[in-house]
Amino acid sequence: MSALRPLPSRPSLEFDRKEAKALLRRLKAGDPDATARAHAQYAALDAATASRATLAIAQLVVAREYGFVSWPRLVQYYAGVERQCDSYPTFHAPDFYLAQARSLVASHAKRSLWAGRLLAAYVPRFFGMRVNDVYDQAVTDNDAQLAIARSNSCPSWEVLQEWAANEIRVRAKEREWGMDPRQRAREAIEKADLGALQQVVDAHPELLRPSGSDVAMTGTLLHMVLDIEQARGRDSLRPIVEWLLAQGLDLQRTLNMFLYGNRPLTAADVQRLLDRGADPNWVAPSGIPLLEHMLLSWRNEGAVDVIAAHVKPRDALWIAAGLGDVDGVRRFLDRHGKPTAAARALRPPLDAMGAFSFPVLPDPDDEEILFEAFWVAALNSRIAVMEYMISQGIDVNCRVWGTPVVNIAVGNAWTQVVECLVRAGADLDIHEGNSNGTARDMARTMLVNGSHGPSYRRIVELCGLDPDAILAARDAEPFLAPDIAPRLKIALDLASDDAGRQGQLEVRPENLLFGLFRAGGLPLMFFTRSSTMERERFHEAFKERVILGDTPLEQASLPMHPEAKGVLNAAIASATARRREAVTGLHLLNALASNEHGVAATLLARFGSSATQLREALERSI
C-alpha cells in the first residue's frame, strides 16, 4: 500500500463521494494515473480490469488512501466528526495541545489504555482496531495531533490550532482592563437600558454576528437576555428583546440553544424556557436531540425529567438508563444480562460533549455497551437502574475507560452514586494510574484540602474513614508558611512601580491594589465583575493608571509602609489558615477588602458596590 494522505482539515463525506465518482469515471475511461492510483490500494484492479470497476471499488480506494480499511469505516468516522459540530474545546494556548500530543505518543509507548482508545477512535488507520492491537503499531506526531484535535472536538489539528490562536486574539482584546464589549452589553441589559446597549452594539457590531462558540456556549446577546430575565422579569426587557429581534437575531434558536448549553439549569429554569417557547423536541445540527444531550451533560435528573415529559425518547439502552427506566433497560438485556443486538443500534454520542467527551470505539464489546449505559445512569443519579444492572452482573469495578466509576463519583462528590457503589462492593483501593490515586485517597485528600461540606464528609465516611480524625491529624502537622505565587510577585513589583509613579517613597495599600489591577487575571476580574460595580465608570476614572500593563519601571523596589506590610501579612495568614501552598492575588485582595475603611472598600462604594459583596464572592474561591 502506498503512503497515506492526510484527511482534509474539514472532512466532508459529500466531497469524498464526489471524488469517488470522479475516480470511477477516470477508471472507466482508461486513465493510467487513475488506474495506478486505484491499483496501489486495490491490487485486484489493473489496466486490464479498470473498465469494469464499480463505485464500491472507487470508494474503497478513496477510503484506503486515508488509511481506513473500508468505505463504511470512512462513513462511520465522518459521522463522528459531524456529531462534534456543536461542541467546542476548553480553551488552552496552542502549545498546550502540542504538549498533549507529545504526551500521547509517550503514553502509547507505555501501553496506556486511554492513549490506545484515543488512537483507535480518532486516527483513520487505527479506526476499528482493538486497543491492544494499536499498541503494536508505530504512532507518528501527525497521528497524535489528529487524535488530540478530535478529542478536543475539532475535526483536525489545523482547525484546533486555528481556533486556539483566534481565541488568544479575542481574549487579548477582552483583557483590556476587563472591558469586554459583551460584558458591557450585559451590564446594559441588566439595567434594562436599551440606549446603552445600542451604543455598545454600534461600537461593536460583531455582537450581532456571534461566533459558533459564542452560540454554543450561550454567549450571545439574546442568551444574556434569557439569563437576566429570570431576575428582572420578562416584561422589563421586552423593548430590548424587540430591538434585538429587529436586528435579525433568532429567538427560537436561542431558546433551544440555551437549553442545549452545558450550563447548569434547574427544573424551574427549564420549565420557564419551555413556557417562553423553547422546543423540547429540538434536534441540533449535530443530529443530537435535546433530551439526549441533557442526559450526557447536565447531571440534573429533575431538569431532564421536565424535558422527558414533553418528548417521546428514542428507544435505546442508554437512554432508558439515563431516564431511570428499569423496565426499559430490562428490554435490552437477555436472560444472562448481556446486551441484545438492539442495545447496539443507538449508542450515546459521548464523543460530542465538548470538555466532557470520551472516545467512542466503533466496535464495542458487550462490556463497553453495558458500561456506557451504566455511566449514563450514574451521571443522572438513577440509582434504581444502577442497582438493577449490578444485579444482572455488570462489574461494579469495570475499567473500560481505565477508571472505575466509584473513583469518578468520589472525585466529583456524587454522594448518592458513591453510596450505591459502596453498597454493591465497589473496590475503593483501585489506583487510577495517575496522581489522583484511589477513591479512598481522593476522599481523604479532598477533605484535607478544604472540602468540608456535608456531602464530602459523607463520602469520607463511605470510604471507611473518620473525617474528624483526618482533620485533627492534619491540624496537628506543622505547616510551613506558603510561598508567594509568581503572579503575586509580579503584582508586588507593579505596586512598587505604582508608588514610584505617584512620587511616593513607600508602598502603601493603595499601591498594592493597583499592582493587582495591573497584573490582571482573577484579582481584577473579582474586583470589577464579581463585585458588580459600575465598571465602565471605574475604568474611565483609572484607565491611565492601569493601562501601563505589567511592565514596571526599571528602578529599585520601594520599601513597604507598615500598613502595607500588615495587609500582605494578613494575606499570608489567610492562605496559611486554609493550608494553601501559595499566597495568591486573591488572598491579597481579600485582605485589602477586609478593611471597611480602606482603599478597596472606598473605591467599591464610590462605584456602586461594597467590600462585603466582594468578600462574599472571594470566600468561595480562596
Side-chain angles (χ1 to χ4, degrees), residues 574 578 585-594 615 618-619 622:
S574 174
R578 290 173 168 81
L586 292 184
H587 293 117
L588 182 59
L589 181 60
N590 190 52
L592 286 162
S594 295
R615 288 199 306 272
L618 285 167
E619 188 61 33
I622 61 174

Side-chain angles (χ1 to χ4, degrees), residues 299 370-379 386 390 394-414 416-418 420-422 426-428 430 432 439 442:
R299 271 209 51 75
L370 290 173
F371 181 79
E372 288 175 349
F374 191 72
W375 169 248
V376 178
L379 271 178
M386 293 177 65
I390 291 169
I394 190 170
D395 181 3
V396 72
N397 297 313
C398 178
R399 301 183 67 181
V400 165
W401 293 345
T403 301
V405 175
V406 70
N407 292 47
I408 300 173
V410 167
N412 289 280
W414 300 346
Q416 286 183 290
V417 175
V418 175
C420 171
L421 294 170
V422 170
D427 188 341
L428 299 169
I430 294 177
E432 286 191 40
M442 281 191 288

Side-chain angles (χ1 to χ4, degrees), residues 434-613:
N434 59 34
S435 59
N436 290 331
T438 70
R440 207 185 308 271
D441 292 338
M442 281 191 288
R444 180 187 291 105
T445 300
M446 290 167 67
L447 186 69
V448 166
N449 288 342
S451 300
H452 298 161
S455 61
Y456 290 104
R457 291 182 66 90
R458 176 60 179 150
I459 286 174
V460 170
E461 292 169 348
L462 288 168
C463 290
L465 303 171
D466 182 341
D468 292 324
I470 291 173
L471 292 176
R474 182 202 69 178
D475 294 340
E477 294 178 358
F479 185 74
L480 299 176
D483 295 328
I484 303 296
R487 195 67 182 173
L488 179 54
K489 290 180 180 178
I490 293 174
L492 294 176
D493 288 340
L494 293 170
S496 176
D497 180 62
D498 182 73
R501 291 175 185 274
Q502 305 306 312
Q504 300 168 201
L505 299 178
E506 294 179 309
V507 175
R508 294 179 177 271
E510 177 178 327
N511 308 121
L512 293 178
L513 184 61
F514 278 90
L516 287 174
F517 291 164
R518 284 176 56 184
L522 288 176
L524 177 61
M525 186 199 76
F526 268 87
F527 194 85
T528 59
R529 298 187 185 183
S530 299
S531 67
T532 65
M533 72 181 322
E534 297 172 12
R535 292 174 52 251
E536 190 166 354
R537 194 160 61 88
F538 183 37
H539 171 256
E540 190 62 30
F542 291 104
K543 62 182 179 182
E544 296 302 328
R545 195 166 173 182
V546 177
I547 201 67
L548 299 168
D550 62 1
T551 303
L553 288 173
E554 293 183 1
Q555 61 179 26
S557 295
L558 296 176
M560 276 197 185
H561 184 276
E563 191 177 352
K565 282 185 181 179
V567 173
L568 181 58
N569 288 337
I572 295 172
S574 174
T576 303
R578 290 173 168 81
R579 304 183 79 81
R580 300 294 187 248
E581 294 182 357
V583 187
T584 70
L586 292 184
H587 293 117
L588 182 59
L589 181 60
N590 190 52
L592 286 162
S594 295
N595 183 349
E596 289 292 345
H597 305 289
V599 59
T602 301
L603 285 177
L604 288 166
R606 176 180 167 187
F607 295 98
S609 186
S610 70
T612 299
Q613 192 168 340

Side-chain angles (χ1 to χ4, degrees), residues 343-394:
R344 299 173 177 275
L346 177 63
R347 294 175 62 199
L350 293 163
D351 54 352
M353 292 298 108
F356 306 101
S357 294
F358 293 92
V360 175
L361 299 183
D363 286 329
D365 57 19
D366 287 350
E367 185 180 35
E368 181 129 359
I369 292 292
L370 290 173
F371 181 79
E372 288 175 349
F374 191 72
W375 169 248
V376 178
L379 271 178
N380 292 275
S381 298
R382 305 301 189 179
I383 305 305
V385 168
M386 293 177 65
E387 291 176 339
Y388 171 71
M389 294 188 72
I390 291 169
S391 74
Q392 295 302 297
I394 190 170

Side-chain angles (χ1 to χ4, degrees), residues 11 34 68 112 114 124 166 183 230 254 417 426 453 472 518 594 602 613:
F68 297 105
S112 158
W114 197 249
N166 183 64
Q183 181 62 26
Q230 183 175 8
T254 302
V417 175
R518 284 176 56 184
S594 295
T602 301
Q613 192 168 340

Side-chain angles (χ1 to χ4, degrees), residues 306-343:
V306 172
I307 293 295
H310 291 80
V311 305
K312 180 177 173 52
R314 293 199 286 181
D315 202 21
L317 169 61
W318 70 272
I319 295 175
L323 293 175
D325 181 1
V326 175
D327 289 337
V329 171
R330 185 179 291 113
R331 291 197 304 272
F332 288 98
L333 305 181
D334 65 21
R335 61 191 181 90
H336 301 295
K338 301 296 184 183
T340 64

